[in-house]
Amino acid sequence: MSSSQPYIQSSPATPSRRRKSKFTFRQLHQLQQFSPSNPLRVIAHIDLDAFYAQCEMVRLGVAEDQPLAVQQWQGLIAINYPARKFGLNRHVTTIEAKKLCPDLIMQHVATWKEGEERWAYRDDAFKDMATQKVSLDPYRRESRKILAVIKDSLPAAPIQRVEKASIDEVFLDLSAQIHSVMLERFPELNRPPPYDDPTENLPRPPTTALNWDTDALIDLDEGQKEEEDPDWDDIAMLLGSEIVRRVRAMIREKLKYTCSAGVAKNKMLAKLGSGHNKPNQQTVVRNRAVQQFLSGFKFTKIRNLGGKLGDEVVSAFNTDTVKDLLEVPMDQFKRKIGDDTGAWLYGVARGEDASEVNPRTQIKSMLSAKSFRPSINSMDQAVRWLRIFVADIFSRLVEEGVLENKRKPKTINLHHRQGGQMRSKQAPIPQGKVVSEDILFDLAKNLVAQVVVDGRAWPCANLSLSVGGFEDGVTGNRGIGSFLIRGEEARSIMNSARDTPEQENVRDVTPPGKRRRVDDGIGRFFTPREDSKEESEIDGHRANEPDEEMHENQSKNTPSSEDLYRGGSTPPSAQPQAKESPPLRAARHQTNITSYFCPRCSISLPASAQTEHEDWHFAEDLQAEERNSRPSENNTAHSSGPSRKTQQLPLKRSRGRPAGGGGTKAVDKGQRKLAFG
Ligand code: CTP
Ligand code: CA
Ligand code: CA
């Protein structure tokens, strides 16, 4: 990393000059197509420095040299660079941190709190891990602003190609932009190739010095000399680096954030580069420096090799260094870890990565989760958390454009953990109309009720709700015609559901101990009350660009579920109905005949299951009485009467507050894990 000297072509050690570049006209022109195999390709990775900490510094107007950390309950999740000098990292507790750095500002993350319409910063949040939930909205919002500045500082698509890789990082494929800059700055490249043959080699770059400015330049590979003539790939890297420096300066100027960047021929190397010199620097890995750069790394630091795969490779080859992997021949890789992975890893050790920068910045799923310390013990507590999860997810959906029907999730999932057991329930989100918070809440309640009726729901250590299967919707207003078409569709699905085996996608809603299949196929076409008026009034932070954040990765790893139901049903809400489309009304009419609505579970069941279901509640109540010898509390925990809020006391602690020091003993690791895997 020492040689950040600009290369001066007139160096006395200049070896004999080749007349032509090793790159062809075709390769130059194909830069416009972003081909991953193009040897002139330039990729950048930009990663914000201590991101959450910087968000808080900017928000609070804190001096740049002031140590600051972002707190989550009793732990730290982001530490700014001034604070890192005191030895602080994500593993120290708030108490240790204050000892190490008495001047440290610890800002707690914003939280959602039951009963409140939106998240807020609260000074005493750290005491309330049991009743509050972290909100990343402020950071998502900054993330969106940063993404917008990045996009604005680049030429319009299709020349720009930006992939949002997480809440605080992006990849840029700079190839097309560099192509146009090259043609502009080096007119000789505009001439047609000799004999009009695109496979002809380009002329050499002119004998100008390459000024790498403030970049950290990775040392060249062994056998390569700085004095050697640069070729067009060096020029392309230099231009890429110039672009990235400008982008970073714009982010700094417009939003005050510093970030670090890597510039290299592919995503893997660019990402390693951005982390190489932090904070506020950019690192260029020229093609001639790749091997030297990589051999210093443990391969477990490389994208996709951080987890289980990395561990497997370590044990298969008994090493964790890239250098050692270079000794391993291809066939041995293939033999030990399989053909595809083996070939991929062989390339990785040599700095090869053909993955594309994917400009779709769109979300695949959204997740809201909470680990409970102490565990929660009633349907009612679960439902209160669901209210928060739904508010959290819904506010993000609004930002994603669901109200304008731009994009729309197809499914809603609930994961429930009790002891070592994870259970998942899934239901389709009714299509054909705008998703509302109430629809999601009803669906979510129904899913948790399914877990409850399965039995063994409490104590519950973790609940998470996610929506997924996003689809691009129809933009613009939907005419009445489209609803009618939907209606026809719905009717025909309903009909087929009645007589095909599909309908045997009958949920098992029978209480434990008396398992019997109950036909509830029809239930899945019921849609909860439509209440779209209220939706547009929910808090003011919306209508921005699509967002993607770290939770997303999480929800792709659906926990192995003992029961993943596809055909979840949506209960008709107990509340009065607003206007609804004719097919929905027809469907609802049918529920009245065939179904029974349990107010304690907020679930609709076939009428034939009513007696059994009530029996089961009775048994469960009795059991709970025995367990807790506090029958009155437990009974009220399920009640859905008007005085519900004040009556239902979670067992073992007063309302919402954990016993013994506010549940503050442990850091909420589980939640952090959920959020960032
Ligand atoms: N984050 C977190 N928990 C983790 C990992 C990351 O909460 N286990 C959050 C951090 O708070 C961070 C943001 O995600 O601000 C981005 O993470 P990352 O880029 O890994 O770290 P930074 O804090 O940005 O620090 P760096 O300067 O090293 O990038
Ligand atoms: Ca970062
Ligand atoms: Ca990052």
Side-chain angles (χ1 to χ4, degrees):
M1 167 96 17
S2 52
S3 58
S4 35
Q5 291 300 311
Y7 166 72
I8 313 269
Q9 206 279 330
S10 59
S11 152
T14 304
S16 64
R17 295 191 56 207
R18 281 176 288 133
R19 272 180 46 250
K20 292 210 162 171
S21 160
K22 64 173 184 277
F23 302 103
T24 64
F25 279 84
R26 174 178 283 159
Q27 286 165 339
L28 173 68
H29 288 283
Q30 283 181 346
L31 268 182
Q32 298 165 93
Q33 277 116 47
F34 302 103
S35 158
S37 59
N38 196 311
L40 291 168
R41 184 178 193 230
V42 180
I43 307 295
H45 181 256
I46 299 179
D47 182 287
L48 275 289
D49 301 319
F51 182 51
Y52 295 179
Q54 277 204 87
C55 290
E56 297 302 344
M57 290 168 74
V58 169
R59 185 178 69 88
L60 300 167
V62 165
E64 301 229 323
D65 56 354
Q66 165 67 49
L68 178 145
V70 178
Q71 180 179 352
Q72 178 176 305
W73 318 128
Q74 262 59 50
L76 301 181
I77 54 169
I79 295 113
N80 75 357
Y81 281 82
R84 289 189 200 187
K85 288 194 190 128
F86 293 83
L88 303 191
N89 58 49
R90 284 194 189 120
H91 305 291
V92 305
T93 63
T94 51
I95 297 169
E96 290 160 355
K98 267 288 189 196
K99 273 191 210 143
L100 287 166
C101 178
D103 271 349
L104 181 69
I105 294 179
M106 289 189 289
Q107 172 61 49
H108 200 281
V109 290
T111 53
W112 288 93
K113 188 175 181 167
E114 193 214 339
E116 311 224 335
E117 296 256 306
R118 54 165 301 175
W119 55 265
Y121 282 96
R122 302 168 222 273
D123 289 342
D124 58 351
F126 69 95
K127 293 188 215 144
D128 266 347
M129 188 172 118
T131 58
Q132 297 188 22
K133 182 188 142 35
V134 165
S135 169
L136 298 180
D137 272 12
Y139 310 137
R140 279 191 214 109
R141 200 190 289 182
E142 293 309 291
S143 177
R144 274 194 297 275
K145 286 193 211 158
I146 293 166
L147 188 63
V149 167
I150 293 173
K151 289 182 171 178
D152 277 356
S153 58
L154 297 169
I159 291 189
Q160 84 168 228
R161 189 176 267 204
V162 180
E163 172 182 329
K164 183 169 183 185
S166 83
I167 196 166
D168 82 328
E169 55 200 85
V170 293
F171 285 104
L172 313 178
D173 190 329
L174 300 173
S175 304
Q177 187 176 354
I178 287 170
H179 173 261
S180 66
V181 178
M182 276 169 109
L183 295 193
E184 207 179 282
R185 287 211 204 156
F186 304 98
E188 66 269 35
L189 297 178
N190 283 311
R191 286 185 215 123
Y195 324 108
D196 269 341
D197 178 359
T199 64
E200 279 287 320
N201 291 63
L202 294 165
R204 299 283 309 184
T207 59
T208 45
L210 300 192
N211 178 6
W212 294 97
D213 205 346
T214 55
D215 296 348
L217 264 192
I218 297 299
D219 283 348
L220 294 176
D221 292 344
E222 227 172 278
Q224 298 279 339
K225 294 198 178 63
E226 289 293 345
E227 296 77 22
E228 268 167 42
D229 288 347
D231 205 334
W232 290 109
D233 59 340
D234 296 296
I235 307 265
M237 286 291 159
L238 181 81
L239 297 177
S241 192
E242 267 179 38
I243 296 166
V244 168
R245 199 176 304 113
R246 266 202 314 273
V247 172
R248 290 178 49 236
M250 291 291 270
I251 298 172
R252 180 76 167 149
E253 185 193 314
K254 299 227 149 119
L255 302 169
K256 303 204 181 97
Y257 295 108
T258 68
C259 55
S260 300
V263 180
K265 67 176 174 180
N266 60 41
K267 287 168 90 171
M268 167 181 89
L269 294 166
K271 166 116 181 152
L272 282 174
S274 72
H276 202 57
N277 286 295
K278 272 191 156 265
N280 203 14
Q281 288 186 73
Q282 61 185 57
T283 298
V284 183
V285 188
R286 289 166 293 176
N287 293 346
R288 292 183 293 154
V290 169
Q291 216 51 61
Q292 194 284 125
F293 178 58
L294 261 189
S295 60
F297 280 98
K298 292 188 169 175
F299 58 75
T300 45
K301 299 275 177 240
I302 293 177
R303 230 161 64 93
N304 301 325
L305 282 166
K308 220 168 135 196
L309 176 60
D311 295 345
E312 276 170 28
V313 176
V314 171
S315 58
F317 301 99
N318 214 9
T319 177
D320 63 359
T321 69
V322 175
K323 213 175 186 142
D324 289 345
L325 285 191
L326 283 172
E327 312 289 312
V328 180
M330 174 77 98
D331 60 336
Q332 203 178 326
F333 271 123
K334 290 187 171 176
R335 211 169 45 244
K336 289 207 175 172
I337 55 172
D339 281 5
D340 292 345
T341 319
W344 172 78
L345 192 60
Y346 182 88
V348 165
R350 285 154 186 80
E352 285 159 26
D353 170 19
S355 56
E356 288 187 47
V357 171
N358 181 353
R360 284 178 65 91
T361 50
Q362 293 184 334
I363 305 183
K364 295 183 192 75
S365 61
M366 290 173 183
L367 176 140
S368 188
K370 174 77 182 174
S371 291
F372 305 116
R373 314 267 170 83
S375 298
I376 58 166
N377 286 296
S378 71
M379 176 75 177
D380 188 77
Q381 278 178 301
V383 166
R384 282 190 268 153
W385 280 108
L386 291 181
R387 188 34 106 189
I388 292 179
F389 295 168
V390 167
D392 180 15
I393 289 176
F394 189 71
S395 71
R396 284 147 67 189
L397 284 173
V398 172
E399 281 164 0
E400 183 68 13
V402 285
L403 295 186
E404 300 84 51
N405 208 19
K406 274 198 231 141
R407 299 195 72 221
K408 194 166 180 183
K410 272 203 314 228
T411 55
I412 180 163
N413 303 272
L414 179 92
H415 299 300
H416 170 283
R417 187 155 57 78
Q418 195 241 20
Q421 198 180 50
M422 184 65 116
R423 275 182 281 171
S424 309
K425 302 284 181 185
Q426 187 181 60
I429 295 171
Q431 303 294 301
K433 63 178 198 162
V434 176
V435 181
S436 73
E437 197 166 347
D438 286 318
I439 290 179
L440 294 178
F441 185 47
D442 285 345
L443 285 167
K445 274 193 298 194
N446 193 19
L447 293 177
V448 86
Q450 289 179 32
V451 174
V452 171
V453 297
D454 282 353
R456 302 183 317 281
W458 320 116
C460 166
N462 182 290
L463 260 188
S464 71
L465 189 73
S466 60
V467 294
F470 277 85
E471 271 187 351
D472 291 337
V474 188
T475 15
N477 288 332
R478 295 173 62 96
I480 188 132
S482 62
F483 275 107
L484 290 174
I485 293 162
R486 284 277 167 187
E488 285 304 322
E489 273 170 22
R491 235 189 299 270
S492 77
I493 300 168
M494 269 168 65
N495 288 335
S496 64
R498 276 197 215 103
D499 10 275
T500 60
E502 205 39 54
Q503 161 225 87
E504 291 287 313
N505 125 28
V506 169
R507 286 177 304 108
D508 186 353
V509 289
T510 322
K514 291 186 184 178
R515 290 280 150 102
R516 184 151 45 97
R517 302 199 103 185
V518 183
D519 183 345
D520 189 36
I522 199 113
R524 60 207 190 102
F525 299 106
F526 296 123
T527 311
R529 112 195 121 100
E530 207 175 73
D531 217 352
S532 53
K533 284 269 162 49
E534 278 166 21
E535 289 158 10
S536 51
E537 286 161 24
I538 299 165
D539 62 89
H541 62 118
R542 46 210 56 247
N544 279 310
E545 294 219 9
D547 180 23
E548 173 166 340
E549 54 118 5
M550 295 181 159
H551 285 127
E552 267 71 76
N553 299 334
Q554 227 51 49
S555 44
K556 275 179 234 148
N557 304 330
T558 307
S560 63
S561 50
E562 64 162 21
D563 46 13
L564 190 76
Y565 289 107
R566 303 225 114 245
S569 75
T570 309
S573 158
Q575 280 104 15
Q577 308 299 319
K579 61 175 166 21
E580 55 189 10
S581 62
L584 290 175
R585 207 163 37 235
R588 197 181 304 289
H589 180 64
Q590 256 162 323
T591 12
N592 296 337
I593 301 162
T594 58
S595 77
Y596 144 75
F597 180 72
C598 170
R600 293 175 63 172
C601 305
S602 287
I603 188 179
S604 127
L605 300 170
S608 60
Q610 177 170 359
T611 322
E612 200 169 28
H613 185 77
E614 284 171 351
D615 283 350
W616 173 72
H617 269 304
F618 184 64
E620 209 215 17
D621 292 348
L622 276 180
Q623 238 178 25
E625 272 178 37
E626 273 164 31
R627 251 195 330 262
N628 308 298
S629 57
R630 294 173 73 175
S632 57
E633 278 185 8
N634 191 57
N635 279 338
T636 55
H638 278 302
S639 109
S640 57
S643 57
R644 204 171 160 194
K645 285 253 147 117
T646 46
Q647 280 182 356
Q648 39 189 238
L649 300 175
L651 306 172
K652 296 196 211 110
R653 56 189 168 92
S654 65
R655 189 169 175 252
R657 301 279 157 128
T664 52
K665 282 154 273 159
V667 178
D668 194 6
K669 289 243 166 59
Q671 183 170 19
R672 239 197 294 168
K673 223 167 159 192
L674 260 166
F676 299 101

